[in-house]
Amino acid sequence: MSSDEKVLFETLYSKYKKIAISKKEMSLETGQSISTLDRLRKSGLGCAYIKKGNGDIFYPLTELAKYYTRVVQTI
């Protein structure tokens, strides 16, 4: 984990007090609707997630920190 990811993870952890957040919390955090998160997840473009046995989706804060600090280069 890079230093930027660590700082972001610690900030997110202090805000949520847990290591993974729900779809609703992710929606509020990113400003994306739940349906957009679902579409991105199904197409493999969104943040990495955990799917519980009953189908609930959770986003680990470590993955959200990586997602936020990801650099995309265009040519």
Side-chain angles (χ1 to χ4, degrees):
M1 185 180 289
S2 74
S3 61
D4 289 341
E5 290 171 357
K6 278 185 181 181
V7 169
L8 191 50
F9 170 80
E10 290 169 3
T11 302
L12 291 167
Y13 185 79
S14 68
K15 179 178 180 179
Y16 292 103
K17 306 287 190 241
K18 53 188 173 180
I19 60 170
I21 58 176
S22 68
K23 284 196 309 185
K24 183 176 180 179
E25 290 166 324
M26 181 69 158
S27 174
L28 293 170
E29 181 64 38
T30 62
Q32 297 173 317
S33 69
I34 291 175
S35 60
T36 296
L37 291 173
D38 290 342
R39 183 176 43 78
L40 289 171
R41 190 180 68 253
K42 289 175 185 173
S43 64
L45 298 174
C47 182
Y49 62 94
I50 298 168
K51 187 173 186 177
K52 295 287 186 171
N54 58 357
D56 289 339
I57 302 294
F58 294 93
Y59 294 91
L61 296 182
T62 54
E63 296 301 324
L64 181 54
K66 288 178 191 175
Y67 185 73
Y68 273 156
T69 58
R70 180 176 69 186
V71 176
V72 178
Q73 292 182 330
T74 58
I75 299 175

